[in-house]
Amino acid sequence: MKTQSTAVLPARTGDTLPDIVLRGVRTHNLKGVDVSIPRNRFVVLSGVSGSGKSSLAFDTLYAEGHRRYVESMSSYIRQFLERMVKPEIDAIEGIAPAIAIEQKALPKNPRSTVGTVSEIYDYLRLLYARIGKIYSPDTNELVLKHTPEDVSLQAGFLDAGTPLYAGFPFPHHLDVQAHAFSVREELQNLLQKGFFRLVVEGELVDISNEAAWDRFAGMSPEELARVMVLVDRFKLRRDDKFLSRVVQAAESCFQESGGYAWLMVPGGKTFSFSDKLELNGVEYQEPSPQLFAFNSPLGACPVCQGFGRIAGLDEDAVVPNKSLSLEEGAIACWTGEKYRRYLRRLLEIAPEVGIAVDEPYEQLPAAHKELIWKGMPSKRYKGIRPFFAEIEKDAGYKVHYRVFLSRYRGYATCEACQGSRLKPEALCVRISGKHIGEVTRMTISDAQAFFEGLDISPFDRQVAGAILAEIQKRLTYMLDVGLDYLTLDRLTHTLSGGEFQRINLSTSLGSPLVGAIYILDEPSIGLHQSDSVRLVELLRKLRDLGNTVVVVEHDREIIEAADVIIDLGPRAGREGGEIVFHGTPGEIAGATRSLTADYVAGRKSIPVPVSRREPDFSRALKVFGAMQNNLRNIDVTVPADVMTCITGVSGSGKSTLVNDIIKKGMLRHKGLGTDKVGTHRAMTGYEYFESVEHVDQSPIGKSSRSNPATYLKFFDDIRQLFSRTRDAKLRGLKPGYFSFNIPGGRCENCAGEGVVKIEMQFLADIEAVCEECQGRRYKEETLEIRWNGLNIAEVLDLTVCEAKELFKGEKGILKKLQVLDDVGLGYIRLGQSSSTLSGGEAQRIKLASFIARADVRHTLFIFDEPTTGLHFDDILKLTACFNELLEQENTLLVIEHNPDIIKQADWVIDLGPGAGDKGGAIVATGTPESICSNPASLTGRHLRPWLEGNM
């Protein structure tokens, strides 16, 4: 049935562009809605998860804008158009080119960095190639190449009347077989070119007489190198004609010698010039953008191949607790009885070289640490590196040596490039005293300050003006989206989903279009409440450029800052798909069918717990001396059997503490992980947890065939049901025949994917519906088998809520379906590809899989922003799921910014006070109420309105 929205606005004409009007939208669960999106406005699409927001924004508005763009392409591309899915819509008017900034999976490429994805590094490469100055790594002298004008300028510094010789060094040519010409052949060649005089130790020698040749034939190569071929001689005068003559002579010298010229005062000094980048006999490479590209062999460090890290000894594994002294056993590999003799020898000779054996290792000078690692053969002390080199020799045929080595190996910073990824020639180029590697190691805020105070000449500033403006503009946009704490060399796969999306947003702002539709998917993910204001300002700036900004959002502050709100609902799945409100933020409180309006107006709310679980700190995971990244040697206690929330502004160190130290440390202790654990002194309390589970936003499967049914493993039960039908038994079909992962009943044209990928050469590949199975994944014979009137493809196309009705007699399947519904995923389809699920949906599917298992007890669950993609009403369901896990005697450790979740916590650890090097400290710990009472806590300030009744 077509639902006619009463919120359709008339298309505007005249001095403004017409609105974007969509009529009869039936994409996915949308029920033939009509909607008008005002042009050049900031529009928020709100509603419960699964109500149809993404279907309207991405699958209709963006998809049609993209399809029409491709339609303007060549006939080669247009032949694939009919295979691109066209949105189910009656009509669309006023659509403009659309740009989607979605929650995409993070790039796993180890070469991808914040600088490369934001395009700032591309401009940095161009900047260093244009105005970078080369400095000798040995003497720190500036390397310059000379011009003929430089030669004449040098001549102008001498006294008038000074006699001068202009020439070039005696040549050394090679033939085609790379054999050197003889001296006689070189002299003959000079005569043919018209050079008749050589200068030998200040004496002019005429070589037109062959009798003089014998003098040169007996010279050594070093002596010949001091011989000058005379090009011109003159007495210095102060006039333009003379300087022009010197320039002409210098040009001849550079041309004939391959780039060298000498200016000699007879009996005095000789001035050398080169039009090459050369100093002290070392020739340097001309800077070019490729020289600074670590993805290219022209610029990549030859040792680490442009990765910045190499496999080697992991110092943190060799010296895991840096607060210990040498005599206390700081060097872990020598604490065992077998190798203790190496430690004894170090302790014996340490006083002789001034190494303190009773001071913590972390306080030892760098020079002393280098002696410990390198060794001192004169003192008969081997050193850590030679020790492991000797072990490595025997590791090829002795298993226990290989096991021993594996404990202390990891990825270490490449010593050749110091992690900058570039070859040494690139690191010789500096601007304002910094090479490009040092700039990329800066945070965004530090880089902005560096470029604002750049110390370069007016000429260089004029040459690089446009490049500098682009760099500073993009850095400003990165600051505006709250990413001031990120470094430009930070790997993208270490970012959160929200950080990556905001980088994409800043990149779009860096190359702004006018008259476009920008469609964003929850840009507030990962943002602290204090940063939301900056995001709103940025979105308004995008709107003010002349664009329509459409944002799918659940954040209350973003919703209230919009020009127009379009709320979908009233519920999810088939109970949604309608426009329940269309108007301004000031009007939404009066909407009667909108759940969003109920929460915004205060008619509904997520209640504060009546009582909180009392933490037992005698049963807790304790981390001592956390020092990874920006953490400031902090001690953290996570009590067992309660919900602990880690809060703080973006970049304060939350993910470093939880993911790099606690999660990896727990996994390594349980023997389930080998990843390098973040730097800390010690960790205790492992015994209170049987296992650790990180419920993150990564895809639920590596293959696009993975879906909710396969992940929760009830698809096995569904295939069993189909194999027990009468028709399946008659044909001898087993459960495996109904799998789309193996040959049998699946469509082989698309290998059970339902879509085929078409390579578009210079454009991104297109996924088109398989023509043989029409996207149903199975052969016709397979689809003839029916259970309760539906075939296997139709079952996979059901939503969770619809499947609950179908399988109400199957307890095993129904239990897992009910859990999916409880976590707010009643609207997703059983066979929905994992590649189409958002990060928040993938996270909740993982949560559902644990709740469905009765054997999950005494487990530490780690959640990283579980409210991603959740409406207020869905967060209420999520808190119920959290309580269910806690009742099964599990522990929850949650990184979160959302006050509705923070107020549910039993214990809060607030990090800060700022981001990057301004963060990394513990600002406050305690219950949510005590955090609110702490004036130093920015989180407490924003949490207070949600707890005012409890304060």
Side-chain angles (χ1 to χ4, degrees), residues 110-127:
R111 297 182 190 274
S112 179
T113 67
V114 170
T116 58
V117 297
S118 65
E119 298 175 4
I120 292 172
Y121 192 73
D122 295 331
Y123 286 101
L124 281 177
R125 292 196 295 124
L126 195 57
L127 181 72

Side-chain angles (χ1 to χ4, degrees), residues 22 42 88 128 180 248 276 300 369 381 425 502 517 578 649 674 689 698 709 721 738 915:
L22 299 90
F42 172 20
E88 292 186 52
Y128 272 79
Q248 289 176 5
K276 304 176 187 295
K369 289 180 183 177
Y381 164 64
E425 292 90 330
R502 292 202 298 283
I517 305 172
E578 302 174 32
V649 298
T674 57
F689 308 95
S698 61
L721 292 176
F738 297 94

Side-chain angles (χ1 to χ4, degrees), residues 726-769:
R726 182 172 174 274
D727 287 346
K729 287 180 179 178
L730 287 173
R731 300 182 192 187
L733 303 180
K734 303 295 182 186
Y737 185 81
F738 297 94
S739 171
F740 46 73
N741 287 321
I742 57 174
R746 73 179 185 182
C747 169
E748 291 303 328
N749 183 56
C750 61
E753 295 270 7
V755 294
V756 290
K757 187 171 286 187
I758 304 164
E759 294 185 3
M760 298 291 285
Q761 293 184 8
F762 300 111
L763 291 175
D765 294 343
I766 287 177
E767 281 192 349
V769 175

Side-chain angles (χ1 to χ4, degrees), residues 143-176:
V143 181
L144 295 170
K145 61 179 180 179
H146 298 110
T147 64
E149 287 73 20
D150 292 328
V151 181
S152 70
L153 185 67
Q154 180 61 57
F157 287 128
L158 300 173
D159 296 332
T162 302
L164 289 174
Y165 292 161
F168 57 87
F170 190 84
H172 298 278
H173 292 105
L174 302 176
D175 61 17
V176 289

Side-chain angles (χ1 to χ4, degrees), residues 920-933:
I922 294 179
V923 176
T925 59
T927 62
E929 287 79 10
S930 63
I931 298 296
C932 291
S933 304

Side-chain angles (χ1 to χ4, degrees), residues 51-69:
S51 59
K53 304 182 298 299
S54 294
S55 297
L56 178 60
F58 294 99
D59 300 329
T60 305
L61 191 59
Y62 171 70
E64 183 63 12
H66 177 62
R67 193 186 69 83
R68 292 191 184 188
Y69 168 72

Side-chain angles (χ1 to χ4, degrees), residues 6 15 40 169 297 308 329 574 576 724 799 815:
T6 57
D15 57 350
N40 301 345
R574 62 184 178 183
R724 291 202 292 264
T799 65
K815 179 184 176 183

